[in-house]
Structures are given as C-alpha cells and as structure tokens.
Amino acid sequence: MRIDTRDELEKCNVGENLDALMTLDPRGYGVCRILYAGARTYTGEPLTMHAAETLCRAVHPGDMVFILTGFVLIPHKVPEMDGTVSAMLLARALVRAFGAKPVIVCPADSVEAIRRCAAVVGLHCYDDLETVKALPLSMGVAAFTKDAAEAPAQARALADACSPAAVIAIEAAGANALGVYHNSAGQDVTALQAKSEALWDLLRQRGVANIAIGDLGNEIGMNSLSDHILRYVPYTAPGECSCGCGGGILSAAAADNVITATCSDWGCYGMMAALAYLKRDMEILHREEMESEVMRVAARNGFIDMTGSLLPGIDGFSTRMNVGIVSLMRQCTAYAVRHSHESDRWFGPVLEKGFFSGR
C-alpha cells in the first residue's frame, strides 16, 4: 500500500486506529492477532477503511443491503448477541449514510428480538420487503431456513425479489467443506444454524459487493484466509474438530472483503466508524448510550452472551467494555473529522521523510 498524499495518509491512519481498537486482546491468547495478520495480508490495507470504501462504491439511496447474522449456541439453543447487536446498529448506519434499505437475514430464533431492537435504533421493522422498499426509516427481517435442501430455493427467491447492492455477513455460521457447522469448541451445531450461505454464495456469484466479518474461522467468508487460518488457528484443520466429522471448523464460504476482530461486533463498529469518517458524519456511528441499550434489549429478549449468560455481554465482554470500544472509536474518528486540517503543517514533512512511501 503506497501513500503519496496528505489525504491518503490521514485516511490510512484513521483506519489503522480503528483496526487496532477492534483487535484489542483482553483474553490474551492471541487468536484475534493471528486472524488479523492473515486478513491484513489478504486486504493489503486497514480492513475497516477498505470495507467502508467498498460500501461507498456499491450502495446508493434506496438500495437494498442484506445483513446475514444469527449464530445459535448450545446447550440452550438460542442465538448469541455477537453479530446481531452490531447488525441492528449497522442497519441504522446504512439508512443514515446512504438512505439504504437494510434487511437482516437470520434464523427464525432471532426474529422477534430483532423486531424489538429495531425500535431502539429508530427503525420500523417489516417482514414484507416490499413495504421496506416503500417506506422511509425502515428495515426488514427475513427468517432463513435451517433445512439445507430448502436453502437454494429460498436464496433465489430473496435474491430475485430484492437484488441487493451489497451483502454483509456478521458472525454468520458457515459450514465446513463437508457441510458441517461447528461452534468454537469444534462441536457439531449443524441442526441449529440458518443455512444462509446459500444466499451468500448466490449473491457473490452474481457479483454483489460482499463483506464478511468474523472472529474465529467458522463464520461465512473466512475461507478467503484458509491457508493462514489452517496453519495457525486451533480446531480449524481437518481432523481437529471434536465432533468426529474430520473436516475441522473452517467455513468453506469465501468473501471478497474480510474483517477479522476480537469479536465480530467490534469489527462491524470499526467499519461503521470508517464510514462515518469517509462521509464526514459522526452520527453514522451510534453513540455509547445506544450501544448499551441495544445490548440490554437484546438480552431481555432472549439473546445470550457467548458464556451462556442472559446478562448483556458480547463474547464475554460486558456492556461497559463494549461501550468503551465504541467510545474510543467515536473519539478517534471524530477528532480526524473535526480537526482534520489543524495539523496540516505536519503532513507534508512526514511524507517527505519516506516512512509511508512503501507501506
């Protein structure tokens, strides 16, 4: 990635800040750093800014955008919060940034809670996608089948009816090459998951702009990093899963644009913050109060933390931690937006020194 101009330097470093925040490693076991190294090599520049620019090129007023999410966990057999919380907030961001028409595609388990969270982000929520197209400040929700035999027909029906401008997968379960879905421990959770990669693969074949966000390798899109993930991430390689299928947990579905983060929601927030920077509109990225309220409403309506807790949490991280990440992303991005040219005397001399010329 070569940087030659003042604006390129600023944009790159805003993206670097957001990438760093989404890959903070409170757990300390390093998987988020491993994934990021592979994704950064694949993308060649900050992941958040790259994905946000992809959306800016693809999405225009009135365009439909599909958001695939909803990983169902054992033993309670209910969806986790990671992925769906940020999907709700992304729906709001897409309406603000583009006047788009977001549609969340998820397992039926998630639908009622998504309807209730929609009010928190200020959107009307409809099952009828024609109504979403017709009315302002609206989003859709579509329950996707868990029956693999039914999935291709439903995928074609959705794709033909809506012709989305982009599709974004956030913590969406992806089957391995043998068709088996796994949780993070390598257990078989195939029966619980929406088979939405049938829709993902169809839209990608049709050339629809696509962005996959994940935090381990068992999510839709992560096969684009297969060589790196298979080498360095546990349970992903053939024979390493615990279910006996012999296929490992790595998803077989690939993506053209990939974001990896400590938890998928943080990767989505980074992309939204980058979009706020590119659009020079900080209201695209939600405020801290909305983050905590969506988490609370999701928890009250049955979504669980990765740990199984019904208290608001995302991958073991509390409301306070998630609000802190959003707050830091807002502050870093808002500074660049609001004070962009106050340090102009530095940009030229920094570029002349050549540190960034080959990066």
Side-chain angles (χ1 to χ4, degrees):
M1 177 184 177
R2 183 176 177 85
I3 299 171
D4 295 313
T5 69
R6 177 239 180 267
D7 288 348
E8 288 173 349
L9 180 57
E10 181 182 88
K11 181 176 69 173
C12 175
N13 283 317
V14 170
E16 296 283 10
N17 292 339
L18 297 172
D19 282 19
L21 288 169
M22 75 179 183
T23 52
L24 291 177
D25 189 12
R27 302 187 191 102
Y29 55 54
V31 170
C32 56
R33 303 282 168 78
I34 294 169
L35 289 170
Y36 182 80
R40 184 58 182 261
T41 298
Y42 179 74
T43 302
E45 59 184 335
L47 311 183
T48 50
M49 196 64 68
H50 179 86
E53 290 187 309
T54 296
L55 288 177
C56 286
R57 289 190 297 268
V59 182
H60 301 92
D63 282 348
M64 305 290 280
V65 178
F66 285 171
I67 305 170
L68 279 51
T69 193
F71 206 116
V72 182
L73 301 183
I74 55 174
H76 299 285
K77 300 180 181 179
V78 295
E80 68 168 324
M81 293 178 68
D82 188 26
T84 303
V85 169
S86 64
M88 298 302 308
L89 294 156
L90 176 60
R92 172 195 171 276
L94 292 169
V95 173
R96 173 84 188 192
F98 304 109
K101 302 291 186 175
V103 177
I104 294 183
V105 181
C106 61
D109 317 58
S110 303
V111 169
E112 186 55 37
I114 284 171
R115 288 196 189 104
R116 299 191 181 202
C117 288
V120 181
V121 301
L123 297 178
H124 301 270
C125 186
Y126 298 101
D127 298 324
D128 178 23
L129 302 188
E130 290 302 317
T131 302
V132 177
K133 293 178 185 178
L135 296 180
L137 296 174
S138 298
M139 61 169 283
V141 60
F144 204 86
T145 183
K146 296 184 180 184
D147 187 332
E150 295 176 358
Q154 187 179 2
R156 285 192 299 274
L158 270 174
D160 292 344
C162 296
S163 298
V167 57
I168 304 159
I170 313 170
E171 191 69 10
N176 68 10
L178 301 176
V180 180
Y181 296 74
H182 295 85
N183 65 9
S184 60
Q187 297 168 299
D188 184 345
V189 291
T190 303
L192 301 179
Q193 309 307 327
K195 307 304 186 285
S196 56
E197 70 248 73
L199 177 60
W200 173 271
D201 289 340
L202 176 63
L203 293 175
R204 191 164 176 252
Q205 290 166 10
R206 292 184 179 185
V208 174
N210 56 86
I211 299 166
I213 305 175
D215 58 26
L216 182 58
N218 57 338
E219 307 93 355
I220 286 175
M222 295 300 110
N223 198 264
S224 291
L225 314 179
S226 59
D227 290 347
H228 183 83
I229 289 175
L230 289 170
R231 182 175 181 183
Y232 293 115
V233 178
Y235 310 116
T236 59
E240 290 186 343
C241 57
S242 59
C243 74
C245 79
I249 72 171
L250 178 63
S251 168
D256 298 321
N257 304 280
V258 175
I259 293 177
T260 63
T262 303
C263 58
S264 295
D265 279 351
W266 296 3
C268 187
Y269 299 156
M271 179 179 72
M272 292 157 61
L275 191 57
Y277 169 79
L278 293 171
K279 292 283 190 177
R280 295 298 194 267
D281 178 6
M282 285 310 303
E283 292 309 306
I284 291 170
L285 179 61
H286 58 288
R287 295 179 181 271
E288 295 87 342
E289 297 83 0
M290 188 175 286
E291 170 71 16
S292 60
E293 185 63 13
V294 173
M295 289 181 66
R296 290 189 183 101
V297 171
R300 289 177 188 136
N301 285 279
F303 280 96
I304 60 172
D305 184 16
M306 175 188 71
T307 63
S309 174
L310 278 167
L311 295 175
I314 294 171
D315 278 3
F317 302 121
S318 67
T319 302
R320 186 175 183 181
M321 181 74 174
N322 285 278
V323 167
I325 293 293
V326 171
S327 182
L328 285 169
M329 287 182 174
R330 280 191 62 87
Q331 291 175 66
C332 288
T333 309
Y335 189 93
V337 169
R338 294 167 184 162
H339 305 286
S340 179
H341 291 281
E342 292 181 9
S343 300
D344 273 356
R345 67 187 183 89
W346 280 95
F347 282 87
V350 166
L351 287 168
E352 288 174 6
K353 290 288 186 178
F355 177 81
F356 291 99
S357 62
R359 295 167 69 86

